[in-house]
Amino acid sequence: MSQQELELPQGWVECKINDIADVLGGKRLPKGHSLTKQKTSFPYIRVTNFQNNTINQENLQFIDKKTHEVIKKYTISSNDLYISIAGSIGKVGVIPSNLNGANLTENSAKICNMEIEKKFLNYQLNAPLCQQQILKLITSTNQGKLALFRIKEINILMSSINEQKRIVSKIEELFSKIDHTEQSLEHTKLQLEQYRQSLLKFAFEGKLTEEWRQKHTGKIGSIDDFINLIKKANNEKNQDFLEIPREFLDKARDLPNEWSWISLANLGDLNRGKSKHRPRNDPILFGGKYPFIQTGVVKNSKGKITSFKQTYNEIGLAQSKLFPTNTICITIAANIADTSVLTFPACFPDSVVGYNGFSNLIENMFMFYYIQSVKSNLEAIAPSTAQKNINLDILQKMLVPIMSNEEQKEIIARIEQGFSLIENTTQIVESSLQKLQTMKMSILKQAFEGKLVPQDPNDEP
């Protein structure tokens, strides 16, 4: 940054951080010493704690007195600024007063002994022009690093002390308004998620299609006739129809008269994946035309699995099972009851169960949404082991509210209509949140171009 690149406002000067402050490093833990979550008198601040230009204290860790004595010279004051120099490089912020004297990680540095308003420098280092400088100063290694001597070389702009204070005051005034709007939008996001859950709850309590049922009374077959069709489908598959134990029904909530409870196992094909070896772990099985879907793919697919990275060859397929397109994938380990729909045939590990409803009787998307609605219930009954999981038996016995195929389709349509509205509104909220961040950057840019507050000719230069 130079006067040729940026025309300085009257009374401003360009200098380097080294001209107005000291830059000192943090310290890694000595060999044989460790962090603890148990609160002591010695907080240890890590880069993961750097959030929103201050310190997030929710996951703060500590050191004991013995460790502190070894690294007690490497602390940071509430009068200093932090700057991350490894990992997420270039994060700058202030230290809360209650963390005055905390120890500082070796992956960050402190800017101290400042001859400038601390907040003025904080905001300037977070402004686009300084952040661009920081990106250029990162050394090109496998893991980027920002050296202390490079921080000292960062160019900054200085105005009079009075103008620094006016700029800080104006930034905080405008940021406060933006933050208030941001909080309102985050609250809206929470409400949208609550509405999503309420929509699913009402759908499977019969409230979403209550008027629809009244209009279609007598136009669709009875629930008893529908259950007989389901029993027939089970017989054709040589599957026993599981009668629901009386104690299960006594605990189940009441359903509309046109509905009934049935076990999931009676509503289609429910099979656990049986791949014993992952493709990446066995080169003999790897590299064919049969997609292999892991639990992480199901979790992150947002409802539809449209891509894959691993495949089986014919040998791998022989020790696995190929599930057809439109199979509902249900995870039973690690992340309980994450669900997604296959858009192509694929194999699963034994931590995923595939479900396909009986054709023309059970709509797969109906079951997809129902399992989403009871996900928390399935998580609650998972055994408390090192890694939570449920088994196929639990899924098979899970009670499902069932109704005519016509009403299933109506429920799906109404859920998807509601979800579409939620998704559209969520995108608007996300876009608005991004615009607020852009506004903050614009405010900082104007501030350090001398355009945010009027200049006072009576200020000392």
Side-chain angles (χ1 to χ4, degrees):
M1 180 166 49
S2 67
Q3 290 187 2
Q4 287 73 32
E5 294 172 328
L6 178 66
E7 185 177 348
L8 296 179
Q10 186 175 357
W12 288 44
V13 294
E14 182 180 358
C15 63
K16 297 181 183 299
I17 286 182
N18 194 46
D19 297 326
I20 50 89
D22 295 324
V23 179
L24 301 174
K27 184 70 173 178
R28 73 170 64 243
L29 291 180
K31 188 175 181 179
H33 295 253
S34 60
L35 295 171
T36 176
K37 291 183 179 180
Q38 184 176 353
K39 189 173 181 179
T40 71
S41 299
F42 311 105
Y44 186 89
I45 301 175
R46 300 168 295 156
V47 172
T48 54
N49 302 124
F50 297 171
Q51 289 184 20
N52 301 321
N53 308 127
T54 186
I55 301 298
N56 182 341
Q57 301 184 45
E58 290 184 2
N59 61 346
L60 196 63
Q61 295 198 20
F62 302 84
I63 56 177
D64 58 27
K65 186 175 181 179
K66 181 179 178 182
T67 305
H68 174 71
E69 286 298 319
V70 180
I71 59 174
K72 63 183 179 182
K73 293 181 180 179
Y74 300 90
T75 60
I76 189 166
S77 160
S78 56
N79 294 321
D80 305 332
L81 295 177
Y82 66 72
I83 178 169
S84 56
I85 62 174
S88 300
I89 298 175
K91 289 187 173 183
V92 180
V94 298
I95 299 294
S97 58
N98 68 310
L99 294 180
N100 184 53
N103 287 91
L104 188 65
T105 173
E106 79 279 6
N107 291 325
S108 67
K110 66 178 180 180
I111 302 173
C112 53
N113 304 321
M114 290 173 272
E115 298 175 11
I116 188 173
E117 282 287 313
K118 179 181 69 175
K119 290 182 178 180
F120 181 84
L121 181 58
N122 175 39
Y123 286 127
Q124 187 169 173
L125 288 173
N126 280 287
L129 204 54
C130 280
Q131 285 292 309
Q132 290 167 12
Q133 288 187 73
I134 289 171
L135 285 175
K136 292 179 180 178
L137 293 172
I138 297 172
T139 53
S140 299
T141 59
N142 291 335
Q143 184 174 1
K145 189 88 172 179
L146 181 62
L148 299 188
F149 77 90
R150 296 185 187 276
I151 297 173
K152 297 177 182 180
E153 294 299 309
I154 294 174
N155 294 301
I156 62 167
L157 302 177
M158 284 187 66
S159 64
S160 67
I161 291 295
N162 286 337
E163 189 167 358
Q164 290 178 35
K165 291 177 179 179
R166 290 199 303 273
I167 288 172
V168 168
S169 178
K170 189 62 177 180
I171 289 173
E172 292 184 340
E173 175 192 341
L174 296 174
F175 275 22
S176 177
K177 293 177 181 178
I178 291 174
D179 290 342
H180 179 74
T181 304
E182 192 173 27
Q183 288 172 7
S184 297
L185 289 171
E186 290 291 351
H187 182 64
T188 300
K189 280 177 62 178
L190 179 61
Q191 288 180 315
L192 288 169
E193 182 55 34
Q194 290 171 343
Y195 176 54
R196 182 190 292 270
Q197 296 304 316
S198 295
L199 190 65
L200 290 174
K201 181 175 182 291
F202 290 157
F204 298 107
E205 288 178 351
K207 297 176 183 176
L208 206 58
T209 47
E210 189 171 6
E211 292 183 6
W212 183 93
R213 283 195 304 277
Q214 292 173 357
K215 292 179 181 179
H216 290 77
T217 300
K219 298 179 182 178
I220 55 178
S222 69
I223 187 63
D224 291 335
D225 291 338
F226 189 66
I227 291 174
N228 286 333
L229 291 174
I230 293 174
K231 288 182 177 180
K232 181 180 178 182
N234 277 272
N235 289 333
E236 290 173 353
K237 288 281 187 179
N238 294 319
Q239 294 179 178
D240 293 331
F241 188 85
L242 298 178
E243 297 292 344
I244 300 173
R246 171 55 55 185
E247 60 269 22
F248 279 33
L249 287 175
D250 289 341
K251 294 179 181 178
R253 59 177 166 78
D254 293 335
L255 294 176
N257 292 332
E258 299 84 354
W259 291 23
S260 180
W261 288 108
I262 294 184
S263 298
L264 178 59
N266 296 136
L267 299 176
D269 296 320
L270 192 67
N271 296 290
R272 187 172 182 172
K274 60 177 185 177
S275 301
K276 296 179 181 179
H277 304 285
R278 309 296 192 260
R280 67 173 183 268
N281 297 334
D282 195 333
I284 296 176
L285 311 176
F286 178 74
K289 64 179 181 179
Y290 305 106
F292 179 82
I293 303 302
Q294 297 259 44
T295 54
V297 176
V298 179
K299 177 179 176 62
N300 298 318
S301 61
K302 296 183 179 180
K304 284 191 177 181
I305 298 173
T306 58
S307 62
F308 56 90
K309 293 183 178 179
Q310 298 185 58
T311 57
Y312 272 137
N313 55 26
E314 297 291 342
I315 300 174
L317 181 64
Q319 61 102 59
S320 185
K321 174 181 174 62
L322 191 66
F323 289 83
T325 301
N326 294 325
T327 295
I328 303 297
C329 310
I330 310 166
T331 59
I332 60 173
N335 300 297
I336 307 297
D338 285 329
T339 54
S340 198
V341 183
L342 274 182
T343 59
F344 47 78
C347 302
F348 303 150
D350 55 10
S351 54
V352 177
V353 169
Y355 168 82
N356 282 283
F358 288 132
S359 178
N360 301 321
L361 293 175
I362 307 300
E363 298 293 319
N364 270 18
M365 290 308 295
F366 170 85
M367 200 60 63
F368 170 75
Y369 290 126
Y370 178 68
I371 294 172
Q372 285 189 355
S373 76
V374 297
K375 176 177 169 64
S376 59
N377 296 343
L378 290 170
E379 289 174 336
I381 63 175
S384 297
T385 58
Q387 177 175 286
K388 278 199 164 190
N389 61 79
I390 57 175
N391 54 37
L392 186 60
D393 185 59
I394 290 175
L395 275 183
Q396 288 173 329
K397 293 178 180 178
M398 182 179 75
L399 299 188
V400 179
I402 203 64
M403 68 298 297
S404 68
N405 185 259
E406 292 87 350
E407 189 168 359
Q408 291 175 45
K409 291 177 179 177
E410 185 66 21
I411 288 172
I412 293 168
R414 296 194 179 201
I415 289 175
E416 291 182 345
Q417 182 182 22
F419 277 13
S420 177
L421 177 61
I422 291 169
E423 183 63 29
N424 289 339
T425 308
T426 300
Q427 288 179 4
I428 293 171
V429 170
E430 292 288 359
S431 176
S432 298
L433 286 169
Q434 290 177 6
K435 287 178 181 177
L436 290 176
Q437 292 306 309
T438 302
M439 285 175 63
K440 282 189 172 182
M441 290 299 103
S442 178
I443 289 168
L444 292 178
K445 182 175 182 293
Q446 291 181 56
F448 299 104
E449 290 176 352
K451 299 175 181 178
L452 190 63
V453 298
Q455 292 177 293
D456 186 345
N458 296 319
D459 285 342
E460 292 184 8

